[in-house]
Amino acid sequence: SGLWGKPTVVDNIKTLASVPPIVVRGGDWFSSIGTPASPGTVVVSLTGKVANSGVAEVPMGTPLSKLVYEVGGGIPNKKNLKAVQVGGPSGGFLPGGRIETPLDFDSLAEAGGIMGSSGIMVMDEETCMVDAARTFLSFVAGESCGKCVACRVGTRHMVGLLDKIATGRGTEEDLAKLERLGEIVRASSLCGLGQTAPIPVLTALRYLRSEFIAHVVD
């Protein structure tokens, strides 16, 4: 049920595409695909440093490694994998060491990310994680409706701190500020945009902190 307790259909393309085969084949058939907690399939948009970019439909629970190296054809020019961002602009960065993470809601949440829009961007060894985090946070900050202070002001302050760090003017204290502010924005925002906006920064700091420190120290 949705608005006013009435039957409601979420009109996104994945929902509409899933309904006919479920009606024809039944719920048990649909639940046999994927994982017990995340049944069915997921449509992903695979972009970034992969040989084959595009859209693919895979069972829930498919390891990220299969998407990158089988569906995506691997990383061009024999470069090493640095990170995979899962969930679209406000999705989390998972490092190469987490490449076997299954693509399902619970596994991604445990890793600090989200399913989000199922956008998957692959980043190779030449990607600067500070610049990547700043790019995605800047985009999300620009999407803020401005209704709540946490999102409207907090995300812009976070972008300002990332600007300092990226241009060699940051301090280790700024890294602590960035993390604390990210947690505040995440906890205090009124809608999903603000609640997920800091995730790229927080996961980059969690898994690839050495790059931020290098910007500050070196």
Side-chain angles (χ1 to χ4, degrees):
S1 65
L3 186 62
W4 299 312
K6 302 296 184 181
T8 303
V9 173
V10 178
D11 290 328
N12 67 59
I13 192 66
K14 178 61 169 63
T15 299
L16 297 177
S18 297
V19 168
I22 293 173
V23 170
V24 171
R25 301 186 182 188
D28 290 340
W29 165 81
F30 185 78
S31 297
S32 70
I33 304 167
T35 69
S38 299
T41 64
V42 58
V43 176
V44 300
S45 172
L46 188 62
T47 60
K49 300 299 179 69
V50 284
N52 308 317
S53 60
V55 177
E57 183 179 15
V58 296
M60 283 282 203
T62 298
L64 290 174
S65 60
K66 186 170 184 177
L67 282 164
V68 173
Y69 293 106
E70 293 185 29
V71 178
I75 300 170
N77 304 317
K78 298 181 179 179
K79 296 288 177 63
N80 294 318
L81 173 70
K82 179 178 283 188
V84 178
Q85 191 197 26
V86 185
S90 57
F93 293 115
L94 301 185
R98 301 295 298 257
I99 193 62
E100 296 303 325
T101 298
L103 193 63
D104 64 62
F105 292 99
D106 293 340
S107 299
L108 291 176
E110 183 274 327
I114 57 172
M115 182 69 74
S117 62
S118 306
I120 296 178
M121 181 171 285
V122 180
M123 299 172 186
D124 68 14
E125 62 195 64
E126 294 183 352
T127 303
C128 171
M129 297 312 300
V130 176
D131 285 343
R134 180 172 58 161
T135 296
F136 287 113
L137 184 62
S138 295
F139 171 79
V140 178
E143 293 293 300
S144 174
C145 76
K147 182 176 181 179
C148 65
V149 174
C151 180
R152 182 182 73 245
V153 179
T155 55
R156 293 183 183 179
H157 275 304
M158 290 181 71
V159 172
L161 287 168
L162 286 168
D163 285 339
K164 281 183 66 180
I165 294 164
T167 53
R169 297 176 292 118
T171 66
E172 291 195 47
E173 186 181 48
D174 288 328
L175 298 183
K177 285 181 182 177
L178 197 56
E179 278 185 306
R180 183 168 181 272
L181 187 53
E183 294 294 352
I184 290 171
V185 171
R186 197 172 181 183
S188 306
S189 294
L190 296 176
C191 84
L193 184 114
Q195 291 161 10
T196 59
I199 290 178
V201 179
L202 294 175
T203 51
L205 283 166
R206 175 179 172 181
Y207 291 117
L208 298 143
R209 195 181 194 89
S210 60
E211 292 203 23
F212 288 79
I213 293 173
H215 277 70
V216 169
V217 175
D218 299 331

